[in-house]
Amino acid sequence: MSTEIHSPLSGIIPPLVTPLLGNDTLDVASLENLIEHLIAGGVHGLFILGTTGEEQSLSYRLRKEMIAETCRINAGRLPVLVCITDTSLVESAALAAYAADHGASAVVSAAPYYFAPAQPELVEFYEDLLPHLPLPLFLYNMPSHVKVNFAPSTIRRIAENSKVIGFKDSSANLPYFQSVKYIMRDRPDFSMLMGPEEVTGESVLMGGNGGINGGANMFPELYVAMYNAAHAGNVAEVRRLQQLIMQISASIYSVGSYGSSYLKGLKCACSLLGVIKDDFVAAPFHKFNEPERRKIREALDALPIKDGKIIL
Amino acid sequence: MSTEIHSPLSGIIPPLVTPLLGNDTLDVASLENLIEHLIAGGVHGLFILGTTGEEQSLSYRLRKEMIAETCRINAGRLPVLVCITDTSLVESAALAAYAADHGASAVVSAAPYYFAPAQPELVEFYEDLLPHLPLPLFLYNMPSHVKVNFAPSTIRRIAENSKVIGFKDSSANLPYFQSVKYIMRDRPDFSMLMGPEEVTGESVLMGGNGGINGGANMFPELYVAMYNAAHAGNVAEVRRLQQLIMQISASIYSVGSYGSSYLKGLKCACSLLGVIKDDFVAAPFHKFNEPERRKIREALDALPIKDGKIIL
Amino acid sequence: MSTEIHSPLSGIIPPLVTPLLGNDTLDVASLENLIEHLIAGGVHGLFILGTTGEEQSLSYRLRKEMIAETCRINAGRLPVLVCITDTSLVESAALAAYAADHGASAVVSAAPYYFAPAQPELVEFYEDLLPHLPLPLFLYNMPSHVKVNFAPSTIRRIAENSKVIGFKDSSANLPYFQSVKYIMRDRPDFSMLMGPEEVTGESVLMGGNGGINGGANMFPELYVAMYNAAHAGNVAEVRRLQQLIMQISASIYSVGSYGSSYLKGLKCACSLLGVIKDDFVAAPFHKFNEPERRKIREALDALPIKDGKIIL
Amino acid sequence: MSTEIHSPLSGIIPPLVTPLLGNDTLDVASLENLIEHLIAGGVHGLFILGTTGEEQSLSYRLRKEMIAETCRINAGRLPVLVCITDTSLVESAALAAYAADHGASAVVSAAPYYFAPAQPELVEFYEDLLPHLPLPLFLYNMPSHVKVNFAPSTIRRIAENSKVIGFKDSSANLPYFQSVKYIMRDRPDFSMLMGPEEVTGESVLMGGNGGINGGANMFPELYVAMYNAAHAGNVAEVRRLQQLIMQISASIYSVGSYGSSYLKGLKCACSLLGVIKDDFVAAPFHKFNEPERRKIREALDALPIKDGKIIL
């Protein structure tokens, strides 16, 4: 039971955390809880197995379980986007087939991340991959993790294939995002989605289509409200909500001094909020210990939360 | 004759190109022309010897000539901001003293750029430098050129000295810019200025104070109009003007395949527009040859220009 | 049928190219030819599924086929080292179990390469992984591809587990290699192996244990001769052979301008020399087209080759 | 009184620390002591105002004083190499003229380090600079500080000018060093010098010409002995001395966790050994505080030192 995407895909499509009980154990009950929480919060789609979803840390078996369970629980209510980012074209294609079979709406692919292909090699890679994909494709720019940046002209080239319907940018480089939007300006159906929630508001004010914002796992209403305000051009409201989003970013994603603090902090907060049961983080990471967990609790206490929801 | 800055400094403060006739020859007539062009275009300040102004490529003699001539021509009409970025504290302090003596309003400093100081070393460096500065200071974040990024908490620390009155960010990383703005949220007098013109509009919509935009050397009215629209919260107008700004960025700053294409393209366009006479670029660079110059001419021809001004 | 490793593992252990007929088709006949060629050339071990072996580009099914076939063909003649580098601990452990079942001698692991773990997280990762490994482990430093560098003190910590018997360094940073060797100086059984063939000679002169040199796929005798000369402290012979190795490096690994030129050039040369049949390179790459292939042929023609062997 | 260089310049040419009493105060007495210490230790040249000499942190006035005083004290006994690395061609040329006037033997230049020139721009820069240089030139590769790496083919191109007589590499990338040596193989007069002391021995064994080793400020005899052993092909002696060099590297250059630990540790050790009076480090750095100074003292105590000299 797949939900067709109305192009351009717009709104808040949270990158779901993957609720785990161990390195190879999906917590299906928490996944159900999380999805109902998100749908109740008004989000516009579900994005699974992204960086926030720890795709690369999970076994292929668990990735498939996550796809199947998400599609089952969602039951066609929202579009489901499945990350198939992989270093192997064969494995990417296999995940895409699995996603299609279980009712996903689209797949998402960042560049292969062991070797660092040059731009013409990226074009060739997607020319090779696209015939294997039974679903529409979103390109995903994530240079900090995959080491290469999609040049705007590369995106333009790859998107000549009409299967390519959108782009998610997690580079945090907004002049770059504007360049991609400009080079795609004759394709109003092409969805331009922002990764970092700290700048989703402004990108939507400027004509972007929405955000793949991790914080929506905790507080979907907040990010949906931000999207709605920005989409309506309500600058004052965007700036008001931005303060809350920055407070979350500054207090929940920056505990500890490693690059993993975003992921550990987000999962920890989700478990403290009761959205998921355990904040187990798959290897190579471990969840926070008690001192860091206490800081997350304090950060949550400082937010205007009532009955688990943020007061807007 | 110095113009005092009303904090927070706001608006469009163009980073002036340095008109040259040779590696060590300032073109004073072109500098006069440029400054009158900018003032007529409504800009809110003059920013000299920045990256666009090729400070590091110039002799100290010429840097001083540029300071003295700019202050003389400006004659107190606008605030003049002088970059004193240097690897040597002693030379930085000497430039600051010279700038003060000639009537500049403030100085601007990016981190020392040979060694890459750690964050606590950055704090110490500015603690050492500040007592030598006779003018207010703007911090300037330029990690692509100086290799270090000011952590938001480092800025907060340095700005405990009230001489530090603002921040220019050329990192192109907007979540970072938002983080700095958030950590400085109790300092409404602290000026938050954006380098890349491709995102100045959105940053001002979100509460930023303005832009240090190179394109304003060519078309000051355009960038001032963008600032005014964003400052007024006129989203539709911001998005309309953004298209022109993106067209300039895509066609004038990306001729040739090197990192120097922005600087060479901007100076070339300024000379074609008659704003400066020659587009000489100081070593280690050379100005464009005829094939690239032709592309810049075509890019200008494609813009809605009448009598040297862009039609808004 | 596994060959036990006499510690420290020493000599030339070539990182086998993976002979392919398509993205998911192993060329078993060529693999047989390659392995016999290497054993006849006097190498001291077989290293499969490394960067040169394109592990990350291959499906798990093909990785397993490569393990099983290599062990079958080798039939216990040489130690077989199997790369299990993965972003998922679960998949890494599964490959290690498969390798043990089929008679491999050891496994090799570079850091997980999607997220970039901090040094304490790297220590934890290997503490988590090691109990799952039925074979001895070599650590593999490959910062250009995995984004993190094993700090010498991290290696020291991980190697407190006696299962960890050696280290391969492909950082090309020889002061770093010396630092690791120095911190491990009380462990003469710990094998210190060099990746880049351009510096294997000098590293063995200084007490290193050998090389994982891609060029040995083409000319195993040359690299074995280099190792023997360096091990014997014969400086004149090392410097003589170094000229041949540099000629190969300069002419075969640098055709084309992308990072993939080493891999494409090596496979192309292997096919021209008849060591493997086809030089198919797995996605995201493609093998060389005819113009590049011609350059490789010319490079081979310029080498002192007789009957497919280099004249030493 | 200048000493002519017999090409290729060979041996140990220490990069002198600059003895300071303040940010703009040269300690001439300590400089005299240091130079006599080095000459007594048997070094083959003096290299001033390099990275170890903190050129970029010093005022131009002090740089000139350092040139004049070094040449005066040296009094023609050894070749003096003067770093003229600068972001401004005009200032580079001025320093070179000053060095020539005071009797230096050669100048040394790393790439301009604010902008990051592309390879063809680097070639142009040196084509522009060379006519201004009254002395022979050594190129200096220092990518960690200047952001660009001289491609081997770029060095080849620049060295077509016979004024270019050598190359110092501080990249720590030995395959790269071998590539440069290979591309220059028909120029036996071209001096190939190594920066990092941890690999100078092996590079000389392989045919390199010597080292610009910071540790020689402390213990010139050790590095000279290493050079002599390597030059003579005495592998056992090289490996024996290498242990001492690694002990120094591991204990003196790695106190504290910043990139500045090498410089601070070296200067601190020099002052503890009585080679220079004060270990003042110019801004942006500060010298070690007492806890770090104690660790350096312990590191020195652990070395086999008698009467301020290392026992070989």
Side-chain angles (χ1 to χ4, degrees):
Chain A
M1 186 165 28
S2 152
T3 305
E4 207 187 330
I5 291 176
H6 299 282
S7 288
L9 179 62
S10 302
I12 299 299
I13 301 103
L16 275 70
V17 296
T18 302
L20 296 171
L21 297 172
N23 271 323
D24 205 22
T25 312
L26 183 65
D27 177 357
V28 178
S30 284
L31 180 62
E32 287 178 350
N33 198 50
L34 170 62
I35 291 174
E36 296 305 332
H37 170 69
L38 294 174
I39 293 178
V43 304
H44 306 86
L46 304 175
F47 179 101
I48 62 171
L49 296 175
T51 304
T52 299
E54 301 172 71
E55 182 194 3
Q56 278 66 34
S57 304
L58 307 175
S59 73
Y60 285 80
R61 189 205 60 68
L62 199 150
R63 295 180 205 189
K64 289 180 180 169
E65 186 183 2
M66 179 70 184
I67 294 169
E69 293 294 343
T70 299
C71 290
R72 179 188 63 75
I73 298 164
N74 174 59
R77 288 178 286 178
L78 289 177
V80 174
L81 282 65
V82 177
C83 268
I84 58 166
T85 303
D86 208 288
T87 55
S88 161
L89 185 148
V90 176
E91 298 291 354
S92 248
L95 277 178
Y98 193 88
D101 287 351
H102 287 76
S105 305
V107 292
V108 182
S109 167
Y113 47 92
Y114 186 75
F115 292 118
Q119 297 297 321
E121 293 171 329
L122 277 177
V123 171
E124 284 183 343
F125 176 74
Y126 284 99
E127 285 174 354
D128 287 349
L129 179 62
L130 277 158
H132 295 281
L133 300 185
L135 291 173
L137 174 68
F138 287 78
L139 293 174
Y140 176 8
N141 195 45
M142 188 55 163
S144 61
H145 288 59
V146 310
K147 293 173 295 194
V148 292
N149 204 58
F150 284 108
S153 57
T154 297
I155 294 172
R156 178 85 215 177
R157 279 284 304 280
I158 297 171
E160 283 168 15
N161 185 319
S162 62
K163 269 186 190 174
V164 183
I165 64 169
F167 176 63
K168 174 196 176 181
D169 185 24
S170 290
S171 72
N173 184 323
L174 274 279
Y176 166 82
F177 186 75
Q178 292 294 343
S179 297
V180 175
K181 202 148 69 71
Y182 183 71
I183 211 171
M184 298 300 293
R185 64 192 179 281
D186 60 351
R187 286 276 306 271
D189 59 309
F190 189 81
S191 180
M192 292 288 303
L193 300 168
M194 177 54 64
E197 58 206 64
E198 296 86 353
V199 292
T200 291
E202 65 187 85
S203 79
V204 173
L205 279 175
M206 297 302 287
N209 298 106
I212 317 276
N213 302 153
N217 283 281
M218 300 179 281
F219 308 115
E221 300 86 354
L222 170 60
Y223 297 85
V224 169
M226 166 61 101
Y227 169 76
N228 288 336
H231 187 62
N234 186 341
V235 172
E237 179 70 354
V238 167
R239 286 168 64 171
R240 192 181 69 81
L241 296 170
Q242 177 76 1
Q243 288 302 105
L244 274 175
I245 289 174
M246 291 312 300
Q247 184 178 347
I248 290 166
S249 175
S251 63
I252 294 181
Y253 303 157
S254 48
V255 172
S257 56
Y258 307 148
S260 54
S261 51
Y262 158 75
L263 180 62
K264 293 174 181 175
L266 174 60
K267 280 196 128 173
C268 182
C270 282
S271 74
L272 287 167
L273 289 164
V275 175
I276 61 175
K277 187 174 146 202
D278 196 317
D279 58 337
F280 189 94
V281 183
F285 298 137
H286 282 212
K287 67 177 174 182
F288 276 150
N289 293 318
E290 190 49 36
E292 289 82 20
R293 191 170 176 88
R294 195 176 312 123
K295 286 187 191 166
I296 299 293
R297 197 178 288 115
E298 290 165 7
L300 290 173
D301 288 347
L303 285 166
I305 297 175
K306 195 177 170 188
D307 301 334
K309 284 190 187 173
I310 211 154
I311 303 168
L312 297 182
Chain B
M1 185 164 29
S2 154
T3 305
E4 208 187 330
I5 291 175
H6 299 281
S7 288
L9 179 62
S10 302
I12 299 298
I13 302 101
L16 274 70
V17 296
T18 302
L20 296 171
L21 297 172
N23 271 323
D24 205 21
T25 312
L26 182 65
D27 177 358
V28 177
S30 284
L31 181 61
E32 287 179 350
N33 199 49
L34 171 62
I35 291 174
E36 297 306 331
H37 170 70
L38 294 173
I39 294 178
V43 304
H44 306 84
L46 303 176
F47 179 101
I48 62 170
L49 296 175
T51 305
T52 299
E54 302 171 72
E55 181 193 2
Q56 278 66 34
S57 305
L58 306 175
S59 72
Y60 285 81
R61 189 205 61 70
L62 200 151
R63 296 181 204 188
K64 289 181 180 168
E65 186 183 2
M66 181 69 184
I67 294 169
E69 293 294 341
T70 299
C71 290
R72 178 188 63 77
I73 299 164
N74 175 59
R77 288 178 285 180
L78 289 177
V80 174
L81 281 66
V82 178
C83 269
I84 58 165
T85 304
D86 208 288
T87 55
S88 161
L89 185 147
V90 176
E91 298 291 352
S92 251
L95 278 178
Y98 193 88
D101 288 349
H102 287 77
S105 306
V107 292
V108 183
S109 168
Y113 46 93
Y114 186 76
F115 292 118
Q119 298 298 320
E121 294 172 329
L122 276 177
V123 172
E124 284 182 342
F125 175 74
Y126 285 99
E127 286 173 353
D128 288 349
L129 179 63
L130 276 158
H132 295 282
L133 300 185
L135 292 173
L137 174 69
F138 287 78
L139 294 174
Y140 176 8
N141 195 45
M142 188 56 164
S144 62
H145 289 60
V146 310
K147 293 173 296 193
V148 292
N149 205 59
F150 284 105
S153 57
T154 297
I155 294 172
R156 179 85 216 176
R157 280 283 304 281
I158 297 172
E160 285 169 13
N161 185 318
S162 62
K163 269 188 192 173
V164 184
I165 64 169
F167 176 62
K168 175 197 176 182
D169 184 23
S170 289
S171 73
N173 184 323
L174 274 280
Y176 165 82
F177 185 75
Q178 293 294 342
S179 298
V180 175
K181 203 148 69 72
Y182 183 70
I183 211 171
M184 299 300 294
R185 64 192 178 281
D186 60 351
R187 285 276 305 273
D189 58 311
F190 189 79
S191 179
M192 292 288 302
L193 300 168
M194 176 55 63
E197 57 205 64
E198 297 86 353
V199 292
T200 292
E202 66 188 83
S203 78
V204 172
L205 279 175
M206 298 301 288
N209 298 105
I212 317 276
N213 302 152
N217 283 282
M218 300 178 282
F219 308 115
E221 301 86 353
L222 171 60
Y223 298 85
V224 169
M226 166 62 102
Y227 168 75
N228 287 335
H231 187 62
N234 186 340
V235 173
E237 179 70 354
V238 167
R239 286 168 64 171
R240 191 181 71 80
L241 296 171
Q242 176 78 0
Q243 288 304 104
L244 274 175
I245 289 173
M246 291 312 300
Q247 183 178 345
I248 289 166
S249 175
S251 64
I252 293 181
Y253 302 157
S254 49
V255 172
S257 55
Y258 307 146
S260 53
S261 50
Y262 159 74
L263 179 62
K264 293 174 181 175
L266 175 59
K267 280 198 128 172
C268 183
C270 282
S271 74
L272 287 168
L273 289 165
V275 175
I276 61 174
K277 186 173 147 203
D278 196 317
D279 58 336
F280 189 95
V281 183
F285 298 137
H286 283 211
K287 67 177 173 182
F288 276 148
N289 292 319
E290 191 47 36
E292 289 82 19
R293 191 170 176 87
R294 196 174 312 124
K295 285 187 192 167
I296 299 295
R297 197 177 289 117
E298 290 165 8
L300 291 173
D301 288 347
L303 285 166
I305 298 176
K306 196 176 168 186
D307 302 334
K309 284 189 186 173
I310 211 154
I311 303 168
L312 298 180
Chain C
M1 184 164 29
S2 153
T3 305
E4 208 188 330
I5 290 176
H6 300 282
S7 286
L9 179 62
S10 302
I12 299 299
I13 302 102
L16 275 69
V17 296
T18 302
L20 296 172
L21 297 172
N23 271 324
D24 206 22
T25 312
L26 182 64
D27 177 358
V28 178
S30 284
L31 181 61
E32 289 179 349
N33 199 48
L34 171 62
I35 290 173
E36 297 305 331
H37 170 69
L38 294 173
I39 294 178
V43 305
H44 306 85
L46 303 175
F47 179 101
I48 64 170
L49 295 174
T51 305
T52 299
E54 301 172 72
E55 181 193 3
Q56 278 66 33
S57 305
L58 307 175
S59 72
Y60 285 80
R61 189 205 59 70
L62 200 149
R63 296 180 204 189
K64 288 180 180 168
E65 187 182 1
M66 180 69 185
I67 295 169
E69 293 294 342
T70 299
C71 290
R72 177 188 63 77
I73 298 164
N74 175 59
R77 290 178 284 179
L78 289 178
V80 174
L81 281 66
V82 177
C83 268
I84 58 166
T85 303
D86 209 288
T87 56
S88 160
L89 184 148
V90 177
E91 298 292 353
S92 250
L95 277 178
Y98 193 89
D101 288 349
H102 287 77
S105 307
V107 292
V108 182
S109 168
Y113 46 92
Y114 186 76
F115 294 118
Q119 298 297 321
E121 293 172 328
L122 275 177
V123 171
E124 284 182 343
F125 175 74
Y126 285 99
E127 286 174 353
D128 288 349
L129 179 62
L130 277 158
H132 296 281
L133 300 186
L135 291 174
L137 174 69
F138 286 78
L139 293 175
Y140 176 8
N141 195 45
M142 188 55 164
S144 62
H145 289 58
V146 310
K147 293 173 296 192
V148 292
N149 204 60
F150 285 107
S153 57
T154 298
I155 294 172
R156 178 84 214 177
R157 280 283 304 282
I158 298 172
E160 284 168 14
N161 185 319
S162 62
K163 269 188 191 173
V164 184
I165 63 169
F167 176 62
K168 174 197 175 182
D169 184 23
S170 290
S171 72
N173 184 323
L174 274 279
Y176 166 82
F177 186 75
Q178 292 294 342
S179 297
V180 176
K181 203 149 68 73
Y182 182 70
I183 211 171
M184 299 300 293
R185 64 192 178 281
D186 59 352
R187 284 276 305 272
D189 59 310
F190 188 79
S191 179
M192 292 288 301
L193 300 167
M194 176 54 63
E197 57 204 66
E198 297 86 352
V199 292
T200 292
E202 66 187 85
S203 77
V204 173
L205 279 176
M206 296 301 288
N209 298 105
I212 317 276
N213 302 152
N217 283 282
M218 300 179 282
F219 308 115
E221 301 86 353
L222 170 60
Y223 298 86
V224 170
M226 165 62 101
Y227 169 74
N228 288 336
H231 187 63
N234 186 340
V235 172
E237 179 70 354
V238 167
R239 287 169 64 171
R240 191 182 71 81
L241 295 171
Q242 176 77 0
Q243 288 302 106
L244 273 175
I245 288 173
M246 291 312 300
Q247 183 177 347
I248 289 166
S249 175
S251 64
I252 293 181
Y253 303 157
S254 50
V255 172
S257 55
Y258 307 148
S260 55
S261 51
Y262 158 74
L263 180 61
K264 293 174 180 176
L266 174 60
K267 280 196 129 172
C268 183
C270 283
S271 74
L272 287 167
L273 289 164
V275 174
I276 62 174
K277 187 174 146 203
D278 197 316
D279 59 337
F280 189 95
V281 183
F285 297 137
H286 283 211
K287 67 177 174 182
F288 276 149
N289 292 319
E290 191 49 36
E292 289 82 20
R293 191 170 177 87
R294 195 175 313 123
K295 285 187 192 167
I296 299 295
R297 197 178 290 116
E298 290 164 8
L300 291 173
D301 288 347
L303 285 166
I305 298 176
K306 196 176 169 189
D307 302 335
K309 285 189 186 173
I310 211 154
I311 302 169
L312 299 180
Chain D
M1 184 163 32
S2 153
T3 305
E4 207 187 330
I5 290 175
H6 299 282
S7 288
L9 179 63
S10 301
I12 298 300
I13 302 102
L16 275 71
V17 296
T18 301
L20 296 171
L21 297 172
N23 271 322
D24 206 21
T25 311
L26 182 65
D27 177 357
V28 178
S30 284
L31 181 61
E32 287 178 351
N33 199 48
L34 170 62
I35 291 174
E36 297 306 330
H37 171 68
L38 295 173
I39 293 178
V43 304
H44 305 85
L46 303 175
F47 179 102
I48 63 170
L49 296 175
T51 304
T52 299
E54 302 171 73
E55 181 193 4
Q56 278 66 34
S57 305
L58 306 175
S59 72
Y60 285 79
R61 188 204 62 69
L62 200 150
R63 295 181 205 188
K64 288 180 179 169
E65 186 183 2
M66 180 69 184
I67 294 169
E69 293 293 343
T70 299
C71 290
R72 177 187 65 75
I73 299 163
N74 176 59
R77 289 178 285 180
L78 288 178
V80 174
L81 280 65
V82 177
C83 268
I84 58 166
T85 303
D86 208 288
T87 55
S88 160
L89 184 148
V90 176
E91 298 291 354
S92 250
L95 278 178
Y98 193 89
D101 288 350
H102 287 76
S105 305
V107 292
V108 182
S109 167
Y113 47 93
Y114 186 75
F115 293 117
Q119 298 296 320
E121 293 172 328
L122 276 177
V123 171
E124 283 182 344
F125 175 74
Y126 284 99
E127 285 174 354
D128 288 349
L129 180 63
L130 276 158
H132 295 281
L133 299 185
L135 292 173
L137 175 68
F138 286 77
L139 293 174
Y140 175 9
N141 195 45
M142 188 56 163
S144 62
H145 289 58
V146 309
K147 294 174 295 194
V148 292
N149 204 58
F150 285 106
S153 57
T154 297
I155 294 172
R156 178 85 215 175
R157 280 283 303 282
I158 297 172
E160 283 169 13
N161 185 319
S162 62
K163 270 187 191 173
V164 184
I165 64 169
F167 176 63
K168 174 197 176 182
D169 185 24
S170 290
S171 72
N173 184 323
L174 274 279
Y176 165 81
F177 186 75
Q178 292 294 341
S179 297
V180 176
K181 202 148 68 74
Y182 183 71
I183 211 171
M184 298 300 293
R185 64 193 179 280
D186 59 352
R187 285 276 306 272
D189 58 311
F190 188 80
S191 180
M192 292 288 303
L193 299 168
M194 176 55 64
E197 57 205 66
E198 297 85 353
V199 292
T200 292
E202 66 187 84
S203 78
V204 173
L205 279 175
M206 297 301 287
N209 298 105
I212 317 276
N213 301 152
N217 283 283
M218 300 178 282
F219 308 114
E221 300 86 353
L222 170 59
Y223 298 85
V224 170
M226 165 63 100
Y227 168 75
N228 288 335
H231 187 62
N234 186 341
V235 172
E237 178 71 354
V238 167
R239 286 168 66 171
R240 191 180 71 81
L241 295 171
Q242 176 76 0
Q243 288 303 103
L244 273 175
I245 289 173
M246 292 312 300
Q247 182 178 346
I248 290 166
S249 175
S251 64
I252 293 182
Y253 302 157
S254 49
V255 172
S257 56
Y258 307 147
S260 54
S261 51
Y262 158 74
L263 180 62
K264 293 174 181 174
L266 174 60
K267 278 196 130 172
C268 183
C270 283
S271 74
L272 287 167
L273 289 164
V275 174
I276 61 174
K277 186 174 149 203
D278 196 316
D279 59 338
F280 188 94
V281 183
F285 298 136
H286 283 211
K287 67 178 174 180
F288 276 148
N289 292 319
E290 191 48 36
E292 289 82 19
R293 192 171 176 88
R294 196 175 312 123
K295 286 188 191 165
I296 299 295
R297 197 178 290 116
E298 290 164 8
L300 290 172
D301 287 347
L303 285 166
I305 297 175
K306 195 176 169 188
D307 302 334
K309 284 190 188 175
I310 211 154
I311 303 168
L312 299 182

